[in-house]
Amino acid sequence: MTSAFSFSARLGLHAVRGATLAEVDAAAALQHRTDRKYLVPLDLARDLVAQLADSHHVLDLAGRRTTSYLSTYFDTEQLGAWRAHVQRRRHRWKVRTRLYAEDGLCRVEVKTKDGRGATVKHALRVPATAYGALDAQTAQFVDDVLGGCGIPVTAGELSPAAEVRYVRAALADLDHGTRVTLDGALTCHHDNRVAALDAGHVLIETKGSIRPAPADRLLLSLGARPAPLSKYIVGQSLLTPGLPDNDVRRLARTHFTTAETSPEPLLERIPAA
């Protein structure tokens, strides 16, 4: 992955006050939230960070201000999660295992949409060695969440469909409980192909209430507009042959490139616990 230190420096994160994970979680855990995404040039992302410095803190983990993420997404053989998203169905869902690489932490996460369109995220902590698979315990967790949301999909129908990797910085407004994440070095992997976001752009997500947060208003003032970009949906849209054209693919083609790559053993991407 691209150097996390380099990404931090390019965003100017050194100028932002730090906060611990406990402080960020206490103020802005946001398991039930409205997400807005923006694909912006790096210079605009840096301007946003500078303008948020007075009201936001950056997540600081013993001096490290970014984290490398790896996420394996699961889908049905017919790509039910992908199709629900691109068809903008009311009941959308995603299932993934997520690895926080430097810390060796792993979670199984299930994301759904509620009746108002807000994102609801459910998470279960698992050992790092469980990354990329669903065992009996995690399958039960997935079944309970999806079943409780009325989504007629079971873990037994799911298999790994794509992997997404990126470096993330997280900013939080500790007084108002909103967050902003900035993702760079973003790549999507499927079979032996990869789609990569160009190095001059950053994917920004704001996470808060249904009302736009100060970060959203700043982004609008800087000329950015929300974009319907899901990392998994981008990966499948660009890398899986035969899928129908869609708005996500047309938007992603502007800033993503695709290429063939050599398969990489899963265990080499999981640090020792």
Side-chain angles (χ1 to χ4, degrees):
M1 275 191 164
T2 294
S3 165
F5 176 80
S6 173
F7 187 57
S8 177
R10 294 170 77 189
L11 290 175
L13 296 179
H14 62 280
V16 184
R17 295 166 295 173
T20 66
L21 179 60
E23 289 173 322
V24 170
D25 280 349
L30 296 174
Q31 299 307 306
H32 189 284
R33 69 203 190 197
T34 297
D35 298 341
R36 298 176 179 87
K37 301 178 183 180
Y38 306 81
L39 187 59
V40 305
L42 178 63
D43 288 347
L44 190 152
R46 185 182 178 94
D47 287 346
L48 176 70
V49 169
Q51 294 192 46
L52 290 177
D54 289 340
S55 57
H56 286 62
H57 291 67
V58 61
L59 176 61
D60 188 300
L61 301 167
R64 192 183 80 240
R65 297 195 160 193
T66 59
T67 298
S68 300
Y69 282 56
L70 295 91
S71 298
T72 291
Y73 287 82
F74 296 80
D75 211 335
T76 65
E77 185 177 358
Q78 296 77 29
L79 298 182
W82 181 88
R83 295 181 188 280
H85 186 98
V86 298
Q87 294 170 3
R88 305 194 179 193
R89 296 179 194 167
R90 183 176 180 183
H91 294 293
R92 288 176 253 168
W93 55 275
K94 287 182 189 143
V95 175
R96 69 190 178 203
T97 55
R98 168 164 285 178
L99 181 69
Y100 302 81
E102 291 89 349
D103 306 300
L105 300 178
C106 187
R107 306 198 313 177
V108 176
E109 298 180 345
V110 181
K111 295 174 69 175
T112 61
K113 292 282 189 181
D114 69 8
R116 299 180 302 167
T119 299
V120 184
K121 183 166 73 173
H122 307 260
L124 175 70
R125 175 83 175 269
V126 296
T129 51
Y131 173 73
L134 297 176
D135 61 14
Q137 177 193 10
T138 54
Q140 186 62 57
F141 169 73
V142 170
D143 287 347
D144 289 345
V145 174
L146 293 180
C149 295
I151 296 171
V153 176
T154 66
E157 301 172 70
L158 303 178
S159 60
E163 184 182 64
V164 176
R165 310 175 197 174
Y166 53 95
V167 176
R168 167 168 287 184
L171 305 180
D173 183 335
L174 302 185
D175 294 327
H176 297 95
T178 60
R179 286 199 303 155
V180 181
T181 60
L182 303 99
D183 299 338
L186 171 61
T187 57
C188 307
H189 303 256
H190 176 72
D191 292 336
N192 63 335
R193 303 187 70 218
V194 60
L197 176 65
D198 74 73
H201 280 77
V202 176
L203 180 60
I204 296 176
E205 297 183 39
T206 63
K207 308 165 191 288
S209 68
I210 195 169
R211 299 181 62 182
D216 293 293
R217 294 192 288 273
L218 271 175
L219 283 161
L220 291 173
S221 73
L222 291 169
R225 295 294 181 269
L229 271 182
S230 157
K231 301 179 187 72
Y232 168 62
I233 304 306
V234 166
Q236 286 289 12
S237 297
L238 293 178
L239 299 177
T240 301
L243 292 180
D245 205 10
N246 56 78
D247 292 342
V248 171
R249 180 187 291 163
R250 287 189 284 272
L251 178 61
R253 278 174 177 158
T254 307
H255 300 298
F256 283 78
T257 57
T258 60
E260 301 293 322
T261 185
S262 300
E264 184 180 40
L266 175 65
L267 292 178
E268 290 185 7
R269 304 200 298 277
I270 301 179

